[in-house]
Amino acid sequence: SGAAWARGLLSWARPERWLACSSLFPLSCIHTSTSLQKIGKWEKKNRIVYPPQLPGEPRRPAEIYHCRREIKYSKDKMWYLAKLIKGMSIDQALAQLEFSDKKGAKVIKEVLLEAQEMAVRKHNVEFKSNLHIAESLTGRGRYVKRVRCHGKGMFGVMKISRCHYFVKLVEGPPPPPEPPRTGFDQAKEYVQQLRNRTLVHTL
Amino acid sequence: VLILVRSPLPRLRALLQGCWGRLERSLWPGVLGGQSPPWGPALAVQGPALVPQGINDAGESAAEAPSLLESILWMAAPKQRRTIEVNRCRRRHPSKLIEVKRNIDVCPECGNLKQKHVLCGYCYAKVKEETRLIRMEIYKKEGGPFNTPTVETLVLYEGEKPKEKDAGKRIIERARKRPSWFVQN
């Protein structure tokens, strides 16, 4: 239990995460990036390095994080596509996106193909079809306000919206979908709640 | 709905105010000047006088014809801001989500994906490209518009000779091997 506690503490502290970006020399930790542009949090998730697994542990599936920034599309419209492919295998997702009429479908397809390529080359994934989409999110990009001219000299302010798209691919077949909640499950939960009640403020 | 924005530039604001004034004066003439335009009942009907004329005039002259700012009161407008929970229920309703397509198959010729009721995009692009090259050959042979001969056209690839039944046909040569999908008669 002591070893487990120590391993738990080590997994929380995770010093290998801090050393992932630096080389042998400690001072080169400062400003190793060439440009002043901030590297996003999603891109940094690819840099974490886990300690080697012990022989008895089950194999940890590979996780690949990829994103594209400042896509000229609305984040609400992009969300519908992200919701469509959440939880699918990568082949099924590519098939759905290929025959979707939306503008964002083309962009997401490119992102998925890039991520698949990255997975095979850099992240030690054996079969490119053995990936499924664990998370797919959209975020708000930078908006720009512009004047929109109406008739009779009136004008309004329109905002040109952009979005980011984030995807996390995990190796392995897609997880089975959750069975829908039946009335029987709800009744069981209700009875269990009634049984969990205790007396309070008593002896 | 037009959103009127008060711009920071004073000239633009003066221009807008001028436009607004002209609009008001054109739509409701005589309201701002204080003189009411000549008005009267459009239809005069014989009947009992419900309201005595004197009080009617006094009531009317006190409140002039409603300007746009007051007539906004009768326009439909939302009473409360829709909360994000209500908005999410509407935006994420299953009828608004994109449906998963079940009619996607694999093309037996090239192996790309295709919809069941639609031609395979890759095969169609292949055929389109070959047709374009054949048409270029035809254009080179004809030399200009309105030179189409009145006989049939036959396309021959490398190493093919016309048969006896293709006697009077116009022959277009293509300098490549016959594609597998273009079957020779």
Side-chain angles (χ1 to χ4, degrees):
Chain A
S1 71
W5 176 83
R7 206 183 312 137
L9 182 67
L10 205 66
S11 69
W12 168 80
R14 274 190 282 204
E16 67 272 355
R17 289 187 71 161
W18 310 333
L19 295 174
C21 60
S22 72
S23 57
L24 295 163
F25 305 99
L27 281 175
S28 61
C29 262
I30 309 162
H31 291 298
T32 43
S33 57
T34 49
S35 65
L36 284 167
Q37 282 194 0
K38 274 177 71 173
I39 302 176
K41 290 201 281 192
W42 199 262
E43 287 92 333
K44 285 190 203 156
K45 288 191 190 223
N46 266 334
R47 295 188 190 175
I48 59 167
V49 180
Y50 295 97
Q53 285 193 286
L54 303 170
E57 273 185 62
R59 192 186 167 119
R60 188 186 290 119
E63 292 175 347
I64 301 102
Y65 294 88
H66 193 44
C67 67
R68 189 178 282 201
R69 306 274 183 183
E70 307 285 333
I71 305 164
K72 180 63 199 74
Y73 200 48
S74 157
K75 70 165 169 42
D76 297 311
K77 295 176 197 170
M78 190 69 115
W79 181 84
Y80 287 111
L81 289 159
K83 176 84 181 143
L84 175 72
I85 63 172
K86 214 184 275 189
M88 282 186 183
S89 67
I90 195 158
D91 291 332
Q92 196 189 359
L94 288 167
Q96 294 294 321
L97 292 169
E98 191 172 327
F99 297 106
S100 167
D101 298 321
K102 302 213 167 230
K103 172 171 152 185
K106 200 167 150 189
V107 175
I108 295 185
K109 198 170 159 205
E110 286 168 24
V111 174
L112 284 182
L113 289 168
E114 274 174 31
Q116 198 183 39
E117 178 75 15
M118 253 167 56
V120 171
R121 272 189 297 123
K122 296 192 200 165
H123 291 82
N124 189 28
V125 164
E126 200 178 345
F127 304 109
K128 68 175 190 175
S129 291
N130 199 22
L131 295 161
H132 71 270
I133 292 155
E135 288 170 20
S136 94
L137 317 161
T138 54
R140 173 192 187 279
R142 273 203 215 154
Y143 289 0
V144 166
K145 290 193 190 168
R146 291 280 179 268
V147 163
R148 193 204 183 266
C149 305
H150 296 273
K152 295 193 179 176
M154 311 283 200
F155 68 95
V157 174
M158 72 170 168
K159 58 176 205 253
I160 296 183
S161 61
R162 282 183 271 187
C163 65
H164 307 310
Y165 177 69
F166 309 98
V167 71
K168 171 179 167 186
L169 298 173
V170 170
E171 201 175 1
E178 273 182 32
R181 271 188 70 173
T182 58
F184 186 66
D185 293 324
Q186 283 177 317
K188 263 202 313 195
E189 274 182 37
Y190 177 63
V191 167
Q192 190 56 44
Q193 271 181 357
L194 292 175
R195 287 187 179 147
N196 290 343
R197 294 178 298 181
T198 52
L199 296 167
V200 289
H201 305 312
T202 55
L203 292 165
Chain B
V1 175
L2 290 180
I3 305 162
L4 303 182
V5 178
R6 222 187 37 223
S7 71
L9 307 162
R11 258 185 240 162
L12 203 52
R13 198 195 302 178
L15 167 70
L16 283 177
Q17 280 172 351
C19 289
W20 185 245
R22 271 186 278 129
L23 178 73
E24 278 232 349
R25 264 174 265 131
S26 68
L27 287 177
W28 296 278
V31 168
L32 297 173
Q35 315 131 13
S36 55
W39 59 272
L43 179 68
V45 176
Q46 279 251 336
L50 298 165
V51 179
Q53 279 295 312
I55 299 170
N56 203 11
D57 280 334
E60 277 293 333
S61 58
E64 291 162 353
S67 64
L68 184 67
L69 298 166
E70 290 164 20
S71 69
I72 286 174
L73 292 170
W74 63 266
M75 284 180 147
K79 194 74 179 172
Q80 293 287 348
R81 183 207 153 111
R82 280 169 166 179
T83 57
I84 185 66
E85 293 89 4
V86 166
N87 280 339
R88 279 198 195 120
C89 287
R90 185 184 67 252
R91 286 169 194 164
R92 298 185 185 187
H93 194 263
S95 66
K96 295 225 173 169
L97 298 178
I98 306 176
E99 282 174 12
V100 176
K101 291 198 164 97
R102 306 249 175 229
N103 53 356
I104 301 175
D105 266 337
V106 176
C107 170
E109 300 290 324
C110 58
N112 290 88
L113 297 166
K114 74 183 266 301
Q115 281 191 300
K116 283 182 191 160
H117 60 290
V118 179
L119 297 174
C120 167
Y122 186 77
C123 299
Y124 177 64
K126 240 183 354 185
V127 171
K128 208 168 156 182
E129 173 64 24
E130 182 61 29
T131 319
R132 189 181 71 89
L133 295 170
I134 291 172
R135 281 188 184 146
M136 268 172 42
E137 297 280 327
I138 294 173
Y139 178 72
K140 272 190 265 179
K141 201 158 195 189
E142 288 179 2
F146 310 114
N147 293 345
T148 316
T150 48
V151 292
E152 276 184 38
T153 310
L154 182 70
V155 182
L156 291 177
Y157 288 89
E158 264 171 14
E160 284 171 20
K161 299 273 157 41
K163 298 192 194 119
E164 299 91 29
K165 58 173 183 162
D166 309 323
K169 293 183 187 171
R170 158 175 80 151
I171 290 170
I172 303 287
E173 302 278 326
R174 279 277 297 125
R176 58 158 281 187
K177 195 168 72 88
R178 179 166 279 265
S180 55
W181 46 265
F182 197 165
V183 173
Q184 195 175 21
N185 279 341

